[in-house]
Amino acid sequence: MTLPDLVRLRQVRDLMDRDYAEPLDLASLAQAALMSSGHFSRSFRSAFGETPYSYLMTRRIERAKTLLRRGDMTVTEVCMAVGCTSLGSFSSRFTELVGETPSAYRARGHEQGRGIPACYVKIMTRPVRNREAGSTAPPVP
């Protein structure tokens, strides 16, 4: 992979971090990286270890966890706020990454993290794919 390709991939990853709630599809992300969809998808996975879709959904689930911890929005409202259009797909992906349903996560107490700076809470609550959970999940205080 060339340095200019890597720079463009990082720019697109930053775009995904910033605009996660927008309707982002593979074709528009690839266009932003000045690559074909197939080349972009392969290059992104090679550079960052996961597919563009997986990366985007992890960002969306991260944000959803924050909104659900606040407790002032319904699961459906959170689903739409983070850019998902299907409650079923959102719930399935949330459950896959977090290990419990969005409703169960919202209902559970989150008091242990209230005094912790937001940057540490983000690290501690970052969703991981279930197959990784046993080895890379950070300890929860």
Side-chain angles (χ1 to χ4, degrees), residues 63-125:
R63 182 63 180 144
K65 287 176 71 175
T66 300
L67 295 173
L68 290 168
R69 279 194 305 275
R70 281 190 351 203
D72 62 342
M73 296 172 77
T74 67
V75 172
T76 302
E77 290 170 334
V78 169
C79 169
M80 299 303 162
V82 299
C84 295
T85 56
S86 165
L87 183 59
S89 295
F90 167 75
S91 295
S92 295
R93 186 67 169 185
F94 188 97
T95 303
E96 175 188 336
L97 293 173
V98 179
E100 62 185 323
T101 65
S103 297
Y105 184 83
R106 183 178 183 269
R108 184 167 49 84
H110 299 280
E111 292 76 25
Q112 76 271 14
R114 294 217 192 273
I116 301 172
C119 57
Y120 287 107
V121 171
K122 183 178 178 181
I123 292 167
M124 292 177 358
T125 62

Side-chain angles (χ1 to χ4, degrees), residues 3 13-14 23 40 46 58 89 111 113 116 123 125 129-130 139:
L3 183 59
R13 186 182 64 177
D14 290 345
F40 170 72
S46 174
T58 300
S89 295
E111 292 76 25
I116 301 172
I123 292 167
T125 62
R129 290 181 292 277
N130 281 341

Side-chain angles (χ1 to χ4, degrees), residues 3-57:
L3 183 59
D5 282 350
L6 189 54
V7 168
R8 286 192 301 273
L9 288 171
R10 286 181 181 160
Q11 290 170 339
V12 171
R13 186 182 64 177
D14 290 345
L15 173 110
M16 293 165 75
D17 288 340
R18 185 180 54 251
D19 296 337
Y20 64 88
E22 299 300 319
L24 300 173
D25 61 10
L26 185 63
S28 64
L29 295 172
Q31 183 178 10
L34 305 175
M35 298 177 182
S36 69
S37 295
H39 182 65
F40 170 72
S41 187
R42 287 187 302 276
S43 297
F44 191 96
R45 184 179 186 115
S46 174
F48 303 117
E50 60 186 324
T51 66
Y53 175 77
S54 180
Y55 183 84
L56 178 60
M57 285 306 294

